[in-house]
């Protein structure tokens, strides 16, 4: 970390959470290190945190801090050098049929309804339906940094919502949810392709995708976008395969 980054982060403290059940590896406990107080995390110091492998969820900025597991590896795509695969090139053509808007990060009932539908179909909770507006706002809408909402529509029908954070050297993709009834298109992949093109347009070198976990099938899509870098032992390193 540079001296400038250290100075920027002086007003932030960090604490380690108690153990909780890992959401990615069954039967595993997890811990996180969290930046506090969350109100002191702002657009100025957020870049340093993202560059060190942190992630944002609502007003909380964290990264894994598990004692006996290093499975969560920060990953970022090299947007300016992105080389689309054959299947990704086909999806890029479909993007031309979508209308895309970059909007303020505000609550919208139509967006929320799509989120509820997505959660109940892709990540069903046995205890309750994902229909709590306060939880939705805490998870996705509340932010202390420069965040935006990307809205994708096809013939005026809402298809995808992607929440992003914008920093000086790139974009952090916070969360994406979409219309699960459309089985023909890989809507999550289309969102990432659009973000990569947007990074190129805005001369932003990196698209941060959070964590890649080899053991998690849900995370494997992240290495389908090449080239990319992984943070190994605190250093970003371009993957060789």
């Amino acid at each position: 970390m540079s001296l400038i980054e250290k100075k920027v982060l002086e007003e932030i403290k960090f604490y380690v959470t108690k153990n909780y059940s890992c959401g990615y590896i069954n039967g595993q406990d997890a811990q996180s290190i969290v930046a506090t107080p969350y109100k002191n995390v702002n657009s100025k110091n957020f870049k340093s945190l993202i560059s060190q492998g942190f992630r944002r969820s609502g007003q909380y900025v964290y990264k894994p801090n598990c004692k006996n597991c290093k499975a969560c590896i920060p990953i970022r795509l090299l947007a300016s050098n992105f080389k689309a695969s054959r299947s990704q090139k086909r999806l890029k053509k479909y993007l031309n049929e979508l209308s895309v808007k970059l909007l303020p990060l505000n609550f919208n009932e139509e967006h929320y309804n799509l989120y509820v539908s997505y959660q109940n179909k892709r990540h069903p909770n046995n205890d309750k339906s994902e229909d709590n507006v306060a939880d939705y706002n805490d998870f996705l809408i509340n932010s202390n940094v420069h965040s935006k909402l990307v809205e994708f529509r096809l013939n005026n029908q809402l298809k995808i919502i992607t929440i992003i954070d914008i920093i000086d050297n790139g974009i952090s993709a916070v969360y994406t949810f979409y219309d699960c009834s459309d089985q023909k298109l890989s809507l999550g992949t289309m969102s990432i392709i659009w973000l990569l093109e947007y990074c190129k347009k805005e001369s932003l070198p990196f698209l941060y995708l959070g964590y890649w976990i080899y053991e998690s099938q849900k995370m494997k899509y992240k290495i389908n976008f090449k080239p990319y870098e992984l943070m190994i032992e605190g250093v970003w390193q371009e993957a060789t395969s």
Side-chain angles (χ1 to χ4, degrees):
M1 187 191 307
S2 69
L3 291 175
I4 294 177
E5 287 178 319
K6 287 181 179 179
K7 187 174 182 180
V8 167
L9 295 176
E10 281 180 354
E11 61 185 3
I12 299 176
K13 305 297 181 183
F14 300 91
Y15 74 91
V16 177
T17 67
K18 295 180 179 179
N19 285 348
Y20 56 89
S21 179
C22 179
Y24 301 108
I25 302 176
N26 291 334
Q28 190 100 328
D29 283 338
Q31 277 187 315
S32 295
I33 183 168
V34 181
T36 186
Y38 63 80
K39 292 182 179 179
N40 285 358
V41 177
N42 52 46
S43 295
K44 184 178 180 181
N45 52 37
F46 188 55
K47 174 189 173 183
S48 298
L49 291 167
I50 287 289
S51 298
Q52 293 172 56
F54 280 79
R55 187 98 170 124
R56 184 182 69 81
S57 177
Q59 293 177 304
Y60 299 96
V61 177
Y62 68 95
K63 70 175 178 179
N65 190 59
C66 304
K67 294 179 180 178
N68 301 314
C69 179
K70 302 295 181 184
C72 294
I73 302 176
I75 181 172
R76 66 185 184 185
L77 309 183
L78 304 178
S80 58
N81 297 328
F82 170 59
K83 298 177 181 178
S85 66
R86 184 176 299 178
S87 62
Q88 289 166 351
K89 287 178 181 178
R90 288 197 295 267
L91 285 175
K92 285 179 70 174
K93 295 179 181 179
Y94 284 106
L95 272 173
N96 295 329
E97 300 179 18
L98 299 179
S99 61
V100 186
K101 290 183 180 180
L102 198 62
L103 302 173
L105 186 58
N106 295 322
F107 178 83
N108 177 292
E109 187 171 359
E110 185 183 15
H111 299 166
Y112 173 67
N113 289 336
L114 180 64
Y115 169 80
V116 171
S117 175
Y118 172 84
Q119 289 294 336
N120 288 332
K121 291 178 181 177
R122 293 298 298 268
H123 308 289
N125 187 324
N126 292 329
D127 297 326
K128 62 176 182 177
S129 175
E130 294 286 348
D131 59 357
N132 188 303
V133 173
D135 287 347
Y136 171 80
N137 285 331
D138 287 343
F139 176 41
L140 293 178
I141 303 303
N142 296 336
S143 173
N144 294 322
V145 301
H146 184 198
S147 303
K148 293 286 185 180
L149 185 149
V150 190
E151 181 190 82
F152 299 78
R153 291 182 180 272
L154 178 63
N155 299 325
N156 205 36
Q157 181 181 358
L158 183 63
K159 305 300 289 184
I160 315 170
I161 292 293
T162 296
I163 310 296
I164 61 173
D165 296 330
I166 303 174
I167 56 177
D168 289 346
N169 71 344
I171 288 174
S172 175
V174 177
Y175 200 76
T176 295
F177 52 96
Y178 48 82
D179 180 4
C180 295
S181 66
D182 194 333
Q183 301 291 330
K184 296 180 181 179
L185 298 176
S186 299
L187 296 178
T189 296
M190 291 180 68
S191 169
I192 294 176
I193 292 173
W194 186 90
L195 291 175
L196 285 164
E197 295 298 322
Y198 182 79
C199 283
K200 286 184 181 180
K201 178 183 175 183
E202 299 296 321
S203 299
L204 298 171
F206 303 118
L207 174 58
Y208 293 85
L209 291 185
Y211 305 110
W212 171 70
I213 303 171
Y214 177 81
E215 293 88 344
S216 175
Q217 185 65 34
K218 292 187 293 185
M219 294 291 188
K220 289 190 175 180
Y221 73 92
K222 296 183 180 183
I223 60 173
N224 293 333
F225 302 88
K226 296 177 173 62
Y228 61 88
E229 291 183 336
L230 300 175
M231 180 177 275
I232 309 296
E233 300 296 332
V235 179
W236 289 104
Q237 302 177 35
E238 185 169 350
T240 56
S241 62

